[in-house]
Amino acid sequence: MGDVQPLLRVEGVRKIYGTRVVTEALKGIDLEFGAGEFCAMTGPSGCGKTTLLNIVGLLDRPTTGRIVLKGVDTGPLEDAERTALRAETLGFIFQFHHLLMAFTATENVMMPLLSTHGRAAPWMRDRALELLEHVGLEDRSGYRVTDLSGGQQQRVAVARALVMRPDLVLADEPTGNLDSESGERVFELLRRANEEDGTGFLIVTHDEDIARRCDRIVRMVDGRVVDDERPTVM
């Protein structure tokens, strides 16, 4: 691979909360992620997984350390620059999908495009409908989110995360609130986007079965990375 630049570098990242009562949530994290990786992040509740995901996603800043995304040191960036880099590079999927309940599936998938471009255009709806077909919801495209099941809502969230063609999708317990069948379908959608489109995924999960089916597992305990392995798939 030579001198190929990693998509994401996490360098010495620490996160401290509080002043009188100090909590060190992250204790010096060093990680690299290449383009197109399909990686799980596991560990007990409270170990710092979501904190790290928020910092990697440029939703929060580290107390010390650096996040380098696509060769850009994000530390010196102003908020508007961070927002622009996040929009063009990252997608997000959460356990509680944060969809806009009064809007249709199509409108929810279009939201990142509208936020970036400022006004609706026909190609945005076409892109949203393409992705809803991709996740098996073409027949629900005009439904309001309130009329969809939990598994269907999470598939809308997957489509929304992919609409900007991100290099990396950060997924925080994306199947944790779903029954096993719906969770399996969402996982298969993530894997398909990875294999067919080369989209990278960093998936925070408590589900060891899902973790073992990823190409890489980063394990955290007490604010530190304690293991970084690549399971051998039989």
Side-chain angles (χ1 to χ4, degrees):
M1 297 293 290
D3 297 324
V4 174
Q5 182 93 330
L7 174 64
L8 171 68
R9 286 206 315 272
V10 181
E11 301 179 352
V13 164
R14 298 172 68 229
K15 184 65 177 179
I16 297 172
Y17 295 103
T19 50
R20 290 199 297 178
V21 179
V22 173
T23 301
E24 190 173 14
L26 299 176
K27 302 174 180 177
I29 304 293
D30 294 290
L31 286 170
E32 287 191 356
F33 296 93
E37 285 207 60
F38 197 79
C39 178
M41 182 176 292
T42 69
S45 296
C47 72
K49 302 184 302 295
T50 297
T51 299
L52 180 57
L53 210 66
N54 286 338
I55 290 173
V56 166
L58 309 183
L59 300 171
D60 196 5
R61 293 180 183 264
T63 304
T64 60
R66 295 201 311 163
I67 300 296
V68 181
L69 184 60
K70 293 193 78 172
V72 177
D73 182 356
T74 62
L77 299 182
E78 300 291 341
D79 286 346
E81 296 171 311
R82 288 166 63 86
T83 298
L85 180 61
R86 181 169 60 240
E88 72 183 33
T89 309
L90 301 173
F92 296 87
I93 306 170
F94 302 98
Q95 179 177 355
F96 302 99
H97 23 69
H98 303 300
L99 298 175
L100 299 173
M101 293 295 174
F103 290 83
T104 66
T106 300
E107 289 165 342
N108 269 276
V109 177
M110 288 173 62
M111 283 299 169
L113 297 172
L114 290 167
S115 296
T116 299
H117 296 281
R119 62 175 64 185
W123 67 268
M124 296 180 188
R125 181 169 294 275
D126 292 343
R127 172 67 176 156
L129 291 172
E130 172 193 340
L131 281 167
L132 287 170
E133 181 178 0
H134 189 76
V135 302
L137 289 176
E138 61 271 27
D139 61 338
R140 297 290 189 270
S141 62
Y143 282 44
R144 288 191 177 187
V145 171
T146 49
D147 296 324
L148 301 177
S149 70
Q152 290 171 338
Q153 290 177 9
Q154 192 64 309
R155 281 189 273 156
V156 172
V158 171
R160 181 185 60 186
L162 297 174
V163 74
M164 295 281 288
R165 295 184 170 89
D167 297 287
L168 176 65
V169 172
L170 305 175
D172 194 359
E173 297 284 0
T175 62
N177 206 35
L178 303 176
D179 61 71
S180 58
E181 182 179 350
S182 297
E184 175 65 19
R185 183 156 191 178
V186 166
F187 179 83
E188 289 175 354
L189 289 170
L190 305 188
R191 183 51 109 170
R192 180 178 165 192
N194 172 252
E195 293 175 348
E196 294 183 0
D197 303 322
T199 306
F201 285 85
L202 178 55
I203 304 169
V204 166
T205 182
H206 281 99
D207 189 326
E208 284 293 327
D209 179 60
I210 283 179
R212 284 191 296 269
R213 293 162 65 193
C214 295
D215 301 330
R216 178 182 176 188
I217 306 174
V218 173
R219 300 188 190 278
M220 291 185 64
V221 174
D222 193 26
R224 293 185 171 91
V225 173
V226 297
D227 197 17
D228 188 349
E229 63 170 321
R230 298 179 185 274
T232 301
V233 180
M234 301 302 290

